[in-house]
Amino acid sequence: MNKLIGKKKITMENAFYLLKRIGFYKALKNIWNHNFEKSFLNKRFEQMISIEEKKGKEEKNEKLLIDLCECYLSLNNRFSSEILSICVPCLLKVGLKKDETDETQKEVEMTLLALSEIGYWEMKRGLYLNEIEAIIRYHHEHHNLSRLAYQSAWQFLIFRIYKDYSLEDVIVNELHFGREAARELKELRESVDWKRKEERGKEAKEVIVIWRWINAIDNYLTWCALWSEELVGFLGSIVQVFREVKDNHREVIYKCIYSLKNAAESRVIKVEELLKNEAVDVVLEEIHQPKLYDKMTYECLLFFLHISERLKEKEYFESDDKVRKTSKRVIFEKIEEEGYEDIISSFLETFDSLNIKLYPYLSLKISDYFVNV
């Protein structure tokens, strides 16, 4: 592509069209491209972005700059801080467009999707916060964004917490992440015919957006410690997604289990909420499956390891001792009824290999996976 552009065998307009489509599906399929940053095409884009940004207002080609920024962000996995400081404000300006024509909405969706690909990269609050807040708040009132565009706006913001924990209050209490994630998951889940083995077109896209919402929830649970009652809402939504997709969509099922494991580890979610929202039940259901593949087994075991650890640590328990003892009793009775002890015992010989193949976090002591009354 770089050679074609250099030799003028393809117009920039056609090159942008092709590259944006590649970036679009890279984002939807969650593909990482570690080599693009070293490519001549990437260097060409960085140079063109810098040159265009330095032009005066009269000379600057805004459309060209937007196209360059979208391609740069959507195709990359590593970014120049200097180029980010140009691309982020440029694309957020597009994201703020309120025109609801199909053409503008597609442009806004691609722009927000490209921004969501930045991941954990650090940037100054002044580059993004007012604009991304305005995009999300306007959608709350007018529902102007596509589901993918709205999720992408949230994903861009959630990733910023990694370097700025002070965003927690904005995300949870002002923009109501827990409420919005639960509502979107519910509406998306109800819009898909899960009994059909293969989704096409709009349905397939909505399944991907479900996966992306659960991934955003994972990121919040991994990094944040701010509690809000609204956050409990997405627990039940994840459980419902699991129940809908358990006959197919193994990657979505895995994402549900992975997210519930993060919830079991996080101090944000109380153990009694995991019980009340049936998180313990669905992980027990999954661990009984005869064809568990390694990473699913690993996450199920970690879920119970975290539950057991939290119920044993009286001084860190989030409720009074009476609630702790009640939770222990309920979980003990559930796992006893489901034959959990035999299942864990059957996995004992695989703990070492799972730790080597995945991550070394599984305890080799079988008693660590049990809750004793």
Side-chain angles (χ1 to χ4, degrees), residues 6-51:
K7 293 177 180 179
K8 297 185 177 178
K9 291 186 176 181
I10 186 171
T11 65
M12 285 305 298
E13 184 181 358
N14 286 340
F16 286 142
Y17 177 80
L18 288 170
L19 291 168
K20 284 184 189 182
R21 298 314 291 170
I22 293 169
F24 182 83
Y25 287 105
K26 169 184 167 287
L28 291 194
K29 298 295 183 182
N30 197 37
I31 295 167
W32 280 67
N33 180 4
H34 296 286
N35 297 319
F36 185 75
E37 63 166 316
K38 301 172 185 174
S39 70
F40 289 115
L41 183 59
N42 187 49
K43 290 178 173 59
R44 179 187 290 274
F45 282 167
E46 288 186 342
Q47 186 178 40
M48 290 177 73
I49 289 168
S50 294
I51 290 171

Coordinates of all heavy atoms in Angstrom, one line a residue, residues 6-51:
G6 N 3.0 5.8 -2.9 CA 4.2 6.6 -3.3 C 4.3 6.7 -4.8 O 4.8 7.7 -5.3
K7 N 3.9 5.7 -5.6 CA 4.0 5.7 -7.0 C 2.7 6.2 -7.7 O 2.6 6.2 -8.9 CB 4.3 4.3 -7.5 CG 5.7 3.7 -7.1 CD 5.9 2.3 -7.6 CE 7.3 1.8 -7.2 NZ 7.5 0.4 -7.7
K8 N 1.8 6.7 -6.8 CA 0.5 7.2 -7.3 C -0.3 6.3 -8.1 O -0.9 6.7 -9.1 CB 0.8 8.6 -8.0 CG 1.4 9.6 -7.1 CD 1.6 10.9 -7.8 CE 2.1 12.0 -6.8 NZ 2.3 13.3 -7.4
K9 N -0.2 5.0 -7.8 CA -1.0 4.0 -8.5 C -2.3 3.8 -7.8 O -3.1 3.0 -8.3 CB -0.2 2.7 -8.6 CG 1.0 2.7 -9.5 CD 1.7 1.4 -9.6 CE 2.8 1.5 -10.6 NZ 3.5 0.2 -10.8
I10 N -2.5 4.4 -6.7 CA -3.8 4.4 -6.0 C -4.0 5.8 -5.4 O -3.1 6.4 -5.0 CB -3.9 3.3 -4.9 CG1 -5.3 3.2 -4.3 CG2 -2.8 3.6 -3.8 CD1 -5.4 2.1 -3.3
T11 N -5.2 6.3 -5.5 CA -5.5 7.6 -5.0 C -5.5 7.6 -3.5 O -5.8 6.5 -2.9 CB -6.9 8.2 -5.5 OG1 -7.9 7.3 -4.9 CG2 -7.0 8.2 -7.0
M12 N -5.3 8.7 -2.8 CA -5.3 8.7 -1.3 C -6.7 8.4 -0.9 O -6.9 7.7 0.2 CB -4.9 10.0 -0.8 CG -3.4 10.3 -0.9 SD -2.4 9.0 0.0 CE -2.9 9.1 1.7
E13 N -7.7 8.8 -1.6 CA -9.1 8.5 -1.2 C -9.4 7.0 -1.2 O -10.0 6.5 -0.2 CB -10.1 9.2 -2.2 CG -11.5 9.1 -1.8 CD -12.5 9.7 -2.8 OE1 -12.0 10.3 -3.8 OE2 -13.7 9.6 -2.6
N14 N -9.0 6.3 -2.2 CA -9.2 4.9 -2.2 C -8.3 4.2 -1.2 O -8.7 3.2 -0.6 CB -8.8 4.3 -3.6 CG -9.9 4.6 -4.6 OD1 -11.1 5.0 -4.3 ND2 -9.6 4.6 -5.9
A15 N -7.1 4.7 -1.0 CA -6.2 4.1 0.0 C -6.8 4.2 1.4 O -6.9 3.2 2.2 CB -4.8 4.8 0.0
F16 N -7.4 5.4 1.7 CA -8.0 5.6 3.0 C -9.2 4.7 3.2 O -9.4 4.1 4.2 CB -8.5 7.0 3.2 CG -7.4 8.0 3.4 CD1 -7.4 9.3 2.8 CD2 -6.3 7.7 4.2 CE1 -6.4 10.2 3.1 CE2 -5.3 8.6 4.4 CZ -5.3 9.9 3.9
Y17 N -10.0 4.5 2.1 CA -11.2 3.6 2.2 C -10.8 2.2 2.5 O -11.3 1.6 3.5 CB -11.9 3.6 0.8 CG -13.1 2.7 0.8 CD1 -14.3 3.1 1.4 CD2 -13.0 1.4 0.3 CE1 -15.4 2.2 1.4 CE2 -14.1 0.5 0.3 CZ -15.3 0.9 0.9 OH -16.3 0.0 0.9
L18 N -9.8 1.7 1.8 CA -9.3 0.3 2.1 C -8.7 0.2 3.5 O -9.0 -0.8 4.2 CB -8.3 -0.1 1.1 CG -8.8 -0.4 -0.3 CD1 -7.6 -0.5 -1.3 CD2 -9.7 -1.6 -0.4
L19 N -7.9 1.1 3.9 CA -7.2 1.0 5.2 C -8.2 1.2 6.4 O -8.0 0.5 7.4 CB -6.1 2.1 5.3 CG -4.9 1.8 4.3 CD1 -4.0 3.0 4.3 CD2 -4.1 0.6 4.8
K20 N -9.2 2.0 6.2 CA -10.2 2.2 7.2 C -11.0 0.9 7.4 O -11.3 0.5 8.5 CB -11.1 3.3 6.9 CG -10.5 4.7 7.2 CD -11.6 5.8 6.9 CE -11.1 7.2 6.9 NZ -12.1 8.2 6.7
R21 N -11.3 0.2 6.3 CA -12.0 -1.1 6.4 C -11.1 -2.1 7.1 O -11.6 -2.9 8.0 CB -12.4 -1.6 5.0 CG -13.3 -0.7 4.2 CD -14.5 -0.2 5.0 NE -15.4 -1.3 5.4 CZ -16.4 -1.1 6.3 NH1 -16.6 0.1 6.9 NH2 -17.2 -2.1 6.5
I22 N -9.9 -2.1 6.8 CA -8.9 -3.0 7.5 C -8.9 -2.7 9.0 O -9.0 -3.6 9.9 CB -7.5 -2.9 7.0 CG1 -7.5 -3.5 5.5 CG2 -6.5 -3.7 7.8 CD1 -6.2 -3.2 4.8
G23 N -8.8 -1.4 9.4 CA -8.8 -1.0 10.8 C -10.1 -1.3 11.5 O -10.1 -1.7 12.6
F24 N -11.2 -1.1 10.8 CA -12.5 -1.4 11.3 C -12.6 -2.9 11.8 O -13.0 -3.2 12.9 CB -13.6 -1.1 10.3 CG -15.0 -1.3 10.7 CD1 -15.7 -0.3 11.5 CD2 -15.7 -2.5 10.4 CE1 -17.0 -0.5 11.9 CE2 -17.0 -2.6 10.8 CZ -17.7 -1.7 11.6
Y25 N -12.2 -3.8 10.9 CA -12.3 -5.2 11.2 C -11.3 -5.7 12.2 O -11.5 -6.6 13.0 CB -12.4 -6.1 9.9 CG -13.7 -5.9 9.2 CD1 -13.8 -5.2 8.1 CD2 -14.8 -6.5 9.7 CE1 -15.0 -5.0 7.4 CE2 -16.1 -6.4 9.1 CZ -16.1 -5.6 7.9 OH -17.4 -5.5 7.3
K26 N -10.1 -5.0 12.2 CA -9.1 -5.3 13.2 C -9.6 -5.0 14.6 O -9.4 -5.8 15.5 CB -7.9 -4.4 12.9 CG -6.8 -4.4 14.0 CD -5.7 -3.4 13.7 CE -4.8 -3.1 14.9 NZ -5.5 -2.3 15.9
A27 N -10.3 -3.9 14.7 CA -10.9 -3.5 16.0 C -12.0 -4.5 16.4 O -12.0 -4.9 17.6 CB -11.4 -2.1 15.9
L28 N -12.9 -4.8 15.5 CA -14.0 -5.7 15.8 C -13.6 -7.1 16.2 O -14.2 -7.8 17.0 CB -15.0 -5.7 14.7 CG -15.8 -4.4 14.4 CD1 -17.0 -4.8 13.5 CD2 -16.4 -3.8 15.7
K29 N -12.5 -7.5 15.5 CA -12.0 -8.9 15.8 C -10.9 -8.9 16.9 O -10.4 -10.0 17.2 CB -11.4 -9.5 14.5 CG -12.4 -9.7 13.3 CD -13.5 -10.7 13.7 CE -14.5 -10.9 12.5 NZ -15.5 -11.8 12.9
N30 N -10.6 -7.7 17.4 CA -9.7 -7.6 18.5 C -8.3 -8.2 18.1 O -7.7 -8.9 18.9 CB -10.2 -8.4 19.8 CG -9.5 -8.0 21.0 OD1 -9.1 -6.8 21.2 ND2 -9.2 -8.9 21.9
I31 N -7.9 -7.8 16.9 CA -6.6 -8.3 16.4 C -5.5 -7.3 16.8 O -5.7 -6.1 16.6 CB -6.7 -8.5 14.9 CG1 -7.7 -9.6 14.5 CG2 -5.3 -8.8 14.3 CD1 -8.1 -9.7 13.1
W32 N -4.3 -7.8 17.2 CA -3.2 -6.9 17.5 C -2.2 -7.0 16.3 O -1.9 -8.1 15.8 CB -2.5 -7.4 18.8 CG -3.3 -6.9 19.9 CD1 -4.5 -7.3 20.4 CD2 -2.8 -5.9 20.9 NE1 -4.9 -6.6 21.5 CE2 -3.9 -5.7 21.8 CE3 -1.7 -5.1 21.0 CZ2 -3.8 -4.8 22.9 CZ3 -1.6 -4.2 22.0 CH2 -2.6 -4.1 23.0
N33 N -1.7 -5.8 15.9 CA -0.7 -5.8 14.8 C 0.5 -5.1 15.4 O 0.6 -3.9 15.5 CB -1.3 -5.0 13.7 CG -0.3 -4.8 12.5 OD1 0.8 -5.4 12.6 ND2 -0.7 -4.1 11.5
H34 N 1.5 -5.9 15.8 CA 2.7 -5.3 16.4 C 3.7 -4.8 15.4 O 4.7 -4.1 15.8 CB 3.4 -6.4 17.3 CG 2.5 -6.9 18.4 ND1 2.3 -6.2 19.5 CD2 1.8 -8.0 18.5 CE1 1.5 -6.8 20.3 NE2 1.2 -8.0 19.8
N35 N 3.5 -5.0 14.1 CA 4.5 -4.6 13.1 C 4.2 -3.3 12.4 O 5.1 -2.8 11.8 CB 4.6 -5.8 12.1 CG 5.2 -7.1 12.7 OD1 6.0 -7.0 13.6 ND2 4.6 -8.2 12.3
F36 N 3.0 -2.9 12.5 CA 2.6 -1.7 11.7 C 3.4 -0.5 12.1 O 3.8 0.4 11.3 CB 1.1 -1.4 11.9 CG 0.7 -0.2 11.0 CD1 0.5 -0.4 9.7 CD2 0.4 1.0 11.6 CE1 0.1 0.7 8.8 CE2 0.0 2.1 10.8 CZ -0.1 1.9 9.4
E37 N 3.7 -0.3 13.4 CA 4.5 0.8 13.9 C 5.9 0.9 13.2 O 6.4 2.0 13.1 CB 4.7 0.8 15.4 CG 5.5 -0.4 15.8 CD 6.0 -0.3 17.3 OE1 6.5 0.8 17.7 OE2 5.9 -1.3 18.0
K38 N 6.4 -0.2 12.7 CA 7.7 -0.2 12.1 C 7.6 0.0 10.6 O 8.7 0.1 9.9 CB 8.5 -1.5 12.4 CG 8.7 -1.8 13.9 CD 9.2 -3.1 14.1 CE 9.3 -3.5 15.6 NZ 9.7 -4.9 15.8
S39 N 6.4 0.0 10.1 CA 6.3 0.1 8.6 C 6.5 1.4 8.0 O 6.4 2.5 8.7 CB 4.8 -0.4 8.2 OG 3.9 0.6 8.6
F40 N 6.9 1.5 6.7 CA 7.1 2.7 6.0 C 5.7 3.5 5.9 O 5.7 4.7 5.9 CB 7.6 2.5 4.6 CG 9.1 2.1 4.7 CD1 9.4 0.8 4.2 CD2 10.1 2.9 5.1 CE1 10.8 0.4 4.3 CE2 11.4 2.5 5.2 CZ 11.7 1.2 4.7
L41 N 4.6 2.7 5.8 CA 3.3 3.4 5.7 C 3.0 4.2 7.0 O 2.5 5.3 7.0 CB 2.2 2.4 5.5 CG 0.8 2.9 5.3 CD1 0.7 3.9 4.1 CD2 -0.2 1.7 5.1
N42 N 3.3 3.6 8.2 CA 3.1 4.3 9.4 C 4.0 5.5 9.5 O 3.5 6.6 9.9 CB 3.5 3.4 10.6 CG 3.1 4.0 11.9 OD1 2.0 4.4 12.1 ND2 4.0 3.9 12.9
K43 N 5.2 5.4 9.1 CA 6.1 6.6 9.1 C 5.6 7.7 8.1 O 5.6 8.9 8.4 CB 7.5 6.2 8.7 CG 8.2 5.4 9.8 CD 9.6 4.9 9.4 CE 10.4 4.3 10.5 NZ 9.7 3.1 11.0
R44 N 5.0 7.2 7.0 CA 4.4 8.2 6.1 C 3.3 8.9 6.7 O 3.2 10.2 6.6 CB 3.9 7.4 4.8 CG 3.3 8.4 3.8 CD 2.7 7.6 2.6 NE 3.7 6.9 1.8 CZ 4.3 7.5 0.8 NH1 3.9 8.8 0.4 NH2 5.2 6.9 0.0
F45 N 2.4 8.2 7.4 CA 1.2 8.8 8.1 C 1.7 9.8 9.2 O 1.1 10.9 9.3 CB 0.3 7.7 8.7 CG -0.5 7.0 7.6 CD1 -1.2 5.9 8.0 CD2 -0.7 7.5 6.4 CE1 -2.0 5.2 7.1 CE2 -1.5 6.9 5.4 CZ -2.2 5.7 5.8
E46 N 2.6 9.4 10.0 CA 3.1 10.3 11.0 C 3.7 11.6 10.5 O 3.4 12.7 11.0 CB 4.2 9.6 11.9 CG 3.6 8.5 12.8 CD 4.6 7.9 13.7 OE1 5.9 8.1 13.5 OE2 4.2 7.3 14.7
Q47 N 4.4 11.5 9.4 CA 5.0 12.6 8.7 C 3.9 13.5 8.1 O 3.9 14.8 8.3 CB 6.0 12.2 7.6 CG 6.7 13.4 7.0 CD 7.7 12.9 6.0 OE1 7.4 12.0 5.2 NE2 8.9 13.5 5.9
M48 N 2.9 12.9 7.5 CA 1.8 13.7 6.9 C 1.0 14.4 7.9 O 0.5 15.5 7.7 CB 1.0 12.7 6.0 CG 1.6 12.3 4.7 SD 0.6 11.1 3.8 CE -0.6 12.2 3.1
I49 N 0.7 13.7 9.0 CA -0.1 14.3 10.1 C 0.6 15.5 10.7 O 0.0 16.5 10.9 CB -0.4 13.2 11.2 CG1 -1.4 12.2 10.7 CG2 -0.9 13.9 12.5 CD1 -1.5 10.9 11.6
S50 N 1.9 15.4 10.9 CA 2.7 16.5 11.5 C 2.7 17.7 10.5 O 2.5 18.8 11.0 CB 4.1 16.0 11.8 OG 4.2 15.1 12.8
I51 N 2.9 17.4 9.3 CA 2.9 18.5 8.3 C 1.6 19.2 8.2 O 1.5 20.4 8.2 CB 3.3 17.9 6.9 CG1 4.8 17.5 6.9 CG2 3.1 18.9 5.8 CD1 5.3 16.7 5.7

